[in-house]
């Protein structure tokens, strides 16, 4: 992980420092807004809450706000680094809450090692929050702190380091037992580690059906047995048993299950060989498990293996638990997260792994198929269905056990959850995962630029693409040294020193000799990085090209058109932006190329946009936009749009498309239903085709600047090979995203 040090530091300090901000959920622009949000209007909800404290959930953010609380005494694998040093982790936890369950978080870092002081402080925060997530607090103090707070507070308190791992591993355990055909009340289980997580796991697994006499727990001193004095405490004592076993080696002999929450390489192949047939091994130490995944499978082909790592099957990851458990608890205004709610979450996760895995999840991980098996005993962390399975199960358990202060219709609640997050965030993730399945060679003409080099490192590290950067190798190496960048495997091509220069010059002259290009001009042009890069793609020495960071759009596009040209059957290239909002992704076209398109060109743009949308697994619904709404204004401009719709319907009759129409008709279901009930588009368009470049370019920039949308693009459509143009001055992430799109395009071109 040391390779990522500079990237991680830059990620956290670039732009606005840190990872979080507070955003208003109400208008706050006019004097009236100010008077409603603050004085005098704010007095009214205050008085309502004074009369009825429960109304705080209606008038404030309390019901969707969780405190992530730590004293920094046991941060990740870093140990007792203190409250302030732990703040990046707590901010990250807040981002996960928001990303996976749309829960807002304030991170609270408390500078104290006194458990009672921490309890007093957190207890005083109860009016602010709907729930408390304790994080990275060392054992055994963490047990005392959580127990006290659960007893004294009337909102959910949950120590994720303990219960999150227990819930996720419990679901994996139930399914692993199903795979190997063993019964939970008969198996012998060995735990290595006796900290907060291990003890919580053991307690939950006992609740699931493991028999106490079949459980052995080890710590750094060996087996916890009756009469042992060294290293014992009140939390370990309940797991002390009568046994002759004294070491982990002794404990594992004949065991059915090993659950490790300890240290790297604690388990040897011989220890694994000593276990019972079809052993279950959860080696959950991070970042390196108790036994390497591949070594375990080489040692025994009958082992069912899980780790805490994302690069191996069966990742036991707490992100499968805490966001969704809190979501369900908050939505029924639970007073606690009780044992029944944890068990409900465990069973929901276990059952989800038995379901067919939908295509978007497979795409997100670059897989063709995945089903319940030894390699899939628990859902993937990025499976969006986890929210719709776990949160309702937790909410139902809270209602059934009397922990809920609000009752919900579970069916309606599940539907509301699905609408809450939408699928917009999966588009780029899916693209990147698909790119990883077959990385392509992507040439970057601006190879000496810092952002290009940083992006190239990410592309190589993540296995997204094989970048080729153009420029003087000496200059690029010096630049990398100055930036302290190590990029093993980076391909550098200097046009002036290339062995391909003569061939490229000759081919460029052949392509352009009837376009006024002389041999002398061809020799000069071939040294231009954009021309050279385009020639690499044309001559199959690269699979795609990404350029434009430091240049105007035409400077990048023109050489590509001259050398590569358009796809067969396409006369005009066009540009599209993916506009990513919180709950939706829209395609905007043409935003970059065609200034005043004819009906024929507009039709081509619409067809190319629909084709591209399908590569992102977006089922196209195309709105052809105009100032006229289905003939409300007669003008050559609107007539052109109407004619384009007719051309598209003639070429692709099954494509859902309509126009000419207003943008509110395209996007507002109520407006469409009332004014245009006959239209194929009922406020549900996801592709917007603009009538000219002015409107398209202005619209995407307005939405980006004022609406907070993320603009991904411009994605060039209609080229014979994969060529894409960057926004001038864009950031490193945008370059990585565009390179992934270029890889996906190249994969499609060669399919």
């Amino acid at each position: 992980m040391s390779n990522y040090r500079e990237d991680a530091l830059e990620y956290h300090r670039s732009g606005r420092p840190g990872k979080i901000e507070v955003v208003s959920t109400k208008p706050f622009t006019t004097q009236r807004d100010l008077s409603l949000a603050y004085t005098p209007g704010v007095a009214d909800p205050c008085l309502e809450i004074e009369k009825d404290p429960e109304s705080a959930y209606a008038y404030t953010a309390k019901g969707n706000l969780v405190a992530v609380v730590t004293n920094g005494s046991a941060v990740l694998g870093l140990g007792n680094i203190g409250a302030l040093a732990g703040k990046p982790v707590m901010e990250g936890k807040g981002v996960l809450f928001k990303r996976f369950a749309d829960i807002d978080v304030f991170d609270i870092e408390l500078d104290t090692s006194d458990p009672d002081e921490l309890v007093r402080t957190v207890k005083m925060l109860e009016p602010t929050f709907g729930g408390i997530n304790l994080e990275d607090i060392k054992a055994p103090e963490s047990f005392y702190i959580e127990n006290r707070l659960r007893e004294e507070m009337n909102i959910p308190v949950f120590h994720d380091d303990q219960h999150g791992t227990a819930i996720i591993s419990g679901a994996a355990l139930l399914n692993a037992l199903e795979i190997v055909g063993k019964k939970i009340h008969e198996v012998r289980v060995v735990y290595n580690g006796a900290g907060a997580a291990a003890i919580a796991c053991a307690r939950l697994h006992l609740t699931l059906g493991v028999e106490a006499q079949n459980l052995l727990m080890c710590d750094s001193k060996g087996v916890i047995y009756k009469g042992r004095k060294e290293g014992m405490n009140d939390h370990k004592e309940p797991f002390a048993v009568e046994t002759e076993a004294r070491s982990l080696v002794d404990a594992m002999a004949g065991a059915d299950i090993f659950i490790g929450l300890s240290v790297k390489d604690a388990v040897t192949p011989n220890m694994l060989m000593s276990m019972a047939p079809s052993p279950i091994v959860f080696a959950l130490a991070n970042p390196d498990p108790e036994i390497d995944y591949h070594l375990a499978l080489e040692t025994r082909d009958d082992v069912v293996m899980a780790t805490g790592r994302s690069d191996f099957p069966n990742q036991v990851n707490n992100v499968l638990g805490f966001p969704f458990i809190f979501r369900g608890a908050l939505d029924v205004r639970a007073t606690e997260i009780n044992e029944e709610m944890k068990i409900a979450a465990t069973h929901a996760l276990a059952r989800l792994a038995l379901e067919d895995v939908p295509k978007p999840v497979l795409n997100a991980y670059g897989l063709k198929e995945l089903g319940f098996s030894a390699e899939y005993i628990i859902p993937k962390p990025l499976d969006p269905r986890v929210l719709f399975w776990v949160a309702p199960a937790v909410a139902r358990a809270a209602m059934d056990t009397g922990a809920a202060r609000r009752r919900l219709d579970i069916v309606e609640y599940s539907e509301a959850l699905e609408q809450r997050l939408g699928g917009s965030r999966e588009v780029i993730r899916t693209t990147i995962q698909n790119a990883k399945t077959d990385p392509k060679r992507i040439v970057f003409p601006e190879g000496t630029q810092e952002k290009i080099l940083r992006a190239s490192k990410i592309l190589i590290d993540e296995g997204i693409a094989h970048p080729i950067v153009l420029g003087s190798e000496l200059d690029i190496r010096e630049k990398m040294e100055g930036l302290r960048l190590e990029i093993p495997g980076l391909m550098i091509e200097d046009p002036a020193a290339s062995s391909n220069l003569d061939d490229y010059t000759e081919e460029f002259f052949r392509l352009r000799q009837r376009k006024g290009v002389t041999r002398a001009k061809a020799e000069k042009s071939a040294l231009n990085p954009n021309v050279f890069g385009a020639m690499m793609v044309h001559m199959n020495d690269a699979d795609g090209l990404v350029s434009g960071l430091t240049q105007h759009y035409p400077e990048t596009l023109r050489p590509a058109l001259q050398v590569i040209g358009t796809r067969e059957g396409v006369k005009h290239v066009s540009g599209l932006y993916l506009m990513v909002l919180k709950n939706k992704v829209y395609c905007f076209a043409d935003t970059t190329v065609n200034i005043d398109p004819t009906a024929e060109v507009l039709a081509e743009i619409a067809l190319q946009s629909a084709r591209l949308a399908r590569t992102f697994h977006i089922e196209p619904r195309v709105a052809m936009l105009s100032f006229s709404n289905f003939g409300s204004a007669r003008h050559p401009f609107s007539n052109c749009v109407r004619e384009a719709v007719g051309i598209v319907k003639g070429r692709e009759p099954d494509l859902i498309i309509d126009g000419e129409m207003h943008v509110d008709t395209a996007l507002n279901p109520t407006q469409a239903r009332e004014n245009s009930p006959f239209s194929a588009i009922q406020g549900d368009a996801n592709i917007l085709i603009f009538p000219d470049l002015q409107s398209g370019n202005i619209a995407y920039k307005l939405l980006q600047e004022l609406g907070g949308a993320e603009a991904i693009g411009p994605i060039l459509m209609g080229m014979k090979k994969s060529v894409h143009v960057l926004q001038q001055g864009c950031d490193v992430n945008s370059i990585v995203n565009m390179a992934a799109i270029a890889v996906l395009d190249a994969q499609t071109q060669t399919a």
Side-chain angles (χ1 to χ4, degrees), residues 483-524:
L483 296 170
R484 292 188 294 175
L485 274 179
E486 294 183 11
I487 317 179
L490 179 65
M491 292 179 277
I492 301 172
E493 184 80 9
D494 183 353
S498 173
S499 59
N500 294 321
L501 181 59
D502 290 343
D503 291 341
Y504 290 174
T505 300
E506 189 64 31
E507 178 65 5
F508 185 74
F509 177 60
R510 185 189 70 79
L511 292 170
R512 305 299 296 172
Q513 60 189 351
R514 294 184 181 275
K515 304 290 185 180
V517 173
T518 64
R519 187 174 295 279
K521 190 171 182 180
E523 290 174 357
K524 182 178 179 181

Side-chain angles (χ1 to χ4, degrees), residues 253-271:
D256 297 284
I257 299 167
F258 169 83
I259 295 176
L261 293 136
S262 53
V263 294
K264 173 185 178 182
D265 296 337
V267 174
T268 66
N270 285 339
M271 293 161 71

Side-chain angles (χ1 to χ4, degrees), residues 54-232:
E54 281 294 297
S55 68
Y57 289 94
Y59 296 118
T60 75
K62 175 182 173 72
N64 197 55
L65 189 61
V66 166
V68 173
V69 179
T70 191
N71 64 358
S73 58
V75 177
L76 292 176
L78 305 175
N80 188 358
I81 61 174
L84 181 59
K87 184 172 175 63
V89 178
M90 304 312 122
E91 286 188 359
K93 194 68 177 274
V95 172
L96 294 176
F97 265 110
K98 189 67 177 176
R99 160 64 184 83
F100 288 102
D102 194 27
I103 292 172
D104 298 311
V105 163
F106 291 158
D107 58 294
I108 308 290
E109 292 78 30
L110 299 177
D111 189 13
T112 180
S113 57
D114 182 340
D116 291 313
E117 189 173 31
L118 193 148
V119 167
R120 284 193 300 272
T121 304
V122 174
K123 185 180 175 183
M124 287 188 289
L125 296 172
E126 184 165 347
T128 304
F129 296 100
I132 305 292
N133 184 99
L134 300 174
E135 193 76 17
D136 292 350
I137 301 172
K138 70 183 178 73
E141 290 92 332
S142 57
F143 296 109
Y144 171 79
I145 290 166
E146 185 190 33
N147 290 339
R148 279 277 311 275
L149 290 173
R150 288 185 63 185
E151 290 170 2
E152 298 178 25
M153 298 183 78
N154 205 34
I155 58 175
V157 178
F158 186 80
H159 188 196
D160 183 48
D161 299 329
Q162 296 178 46
H163 308 299
T165 304
I167 289 165
I168 315 309
S169 67
L173 179 60
L174 292 174
N175 284 342
L177 288 169
E178 183 73 21
I179 293 290
V180 301
K182 296 182 180 182
K183 299 184 184 303
I184 194 167
H185 64 274
E186 295 176 351
V187 291
R188 285 187 51 217
V189 188
V190 174
Y191 296 82
N192 196 44
I199 288 174
C201 285
R203 287 173 176 168
L204 187 79
H205 299 165
L206 287 170
T207 304
L208 290 174
V210 172
E211 297 287 349
Q213 67 268 22
N214 292 334
L215 187 155
L216 283 180
M217 183 174 286
C218 302
D219 60 12
S220 59
K221 309 296 182 184
V223 173
I224 295 172
Y225 59 88
K226 287 282 188 185
R228 200 185 94 171
K229 303 298 183 184
E230 187 181 12
M232 295 296 288

Side-chain angles (χ1 to χ4, degrees), residues 254-490:
D256 297 284
I257 299 167
F258 169 83
I259 295 176
L261 293 136
S262 53
V263 294
K264 173 185 178 182
D265 296 337
V267 174
T268 66
N270 285 339
M271 293 161 71
L272 179 57
M273 286 299 297
S274 75
M275 294 181 72
S278 300
I280 296 168
V281 173
F282 292 176
L284 305 182
N286 261 324
D288 299 303
E290 282 81 359
I291 183 169
D292 177 74
Y293 177 84
H294 298 297
L295 176 60
L297 267 63
E298 289 169 8
T299 303
R300 293 192 64 156
D301 59 9
D302 61 343
V303 66
V304 176
M305 181 84 172
T307 71
R309 293 178 58 127
S310 61
D311 50 350
F312 300 136
N314 301 325
Q315 184 190 16
V316 175
N317 188 324
N318 283 19
V319 80
L320 280 167
F322 68 84
F324 318 110
I325 293 165
F326 268 100
R327 179 77 276 156
L330 291 174
D331 290 338
V332 294
R333 299 178 193 167
T335 57
E336 63 174 345
I337 295 174
N338 58 34
E339 206 66 21
E340 291 84 356
M341 294 160 74
K342 298 173 199 171
I343 294 295
T346 301
H347 283 292
L349 280 170
R351 288 194 303 272
L352 178 54
L354 305 179
E355 296 290 309
D356 291 338
V357 181
K359 192 169 183 180
V361 177
L362 296 176
N363 292 334
Y365 286 90
L367 300 171
K368 292 185 178 179
E369 59 181 0
L370 186 65
F372 185 60
S373 65
E375 287 74 41
Y376 180 66
I377 58 174
I378 193 165
K380 293 287 190 181
L382 296 179
D383 190 333
R385 300 174 301 164
V386 178
L387 174 65
F388 321 133
W389 281 67
V390 174
V394 170
R396 186 193 296 275
M399 292 188 291
D400 290 346
T401 57
R405 288 176 289 191
R406 178 190 183 203
R407 299 200 68 81
L408 297 172
D409 181 297
I410 291 297
V411 174
E412 292 179 0
Y413 176 52
S414 299
E415 292 173 354
L417 287 173
E418 194 158 359
Q419 295 169 5
R420 185 166 193 149
L421 287 182
S424 63
R425 306 172 192 195
E426 310 306 319
V427 171
I428 279 299
R429 181 178 296 107
T430 299
T431 300
I432 288 174
Q433 292 298 334
N434 285 344
K436 289 180 178 181
T437 64
D438 184 17
K440 299 294 185 181
R441 301 163 300 170
I442 304 300
V443 60
F444 292 92
E446 299 153 300
T448 59
Q449 295 296 312
E450 176 182 345
K451 290 179 182 177
I452 297 295
L453 293 173
R454 291 195 181 279
S456 296
K457 183 180 189 310
I458 295 171
L459 294 170
I460 291 173
D461 288 347
E462 300 297 325
I464 299 168
H466 304 299
I468 306 168
V469 296
L470 301 187
S472 161
E473 180 160 2
L474 179 62
D475 291 345
I476 290 171
R477 295 291 181 195
E478 286 181 352
K479 185 87 169 182
M480 288 165 55
E481 187 176 345
L483 296 170
R484 292 188 294 175
L485 274 179
E486 294 183 11
I487 317 179
L490 179 65

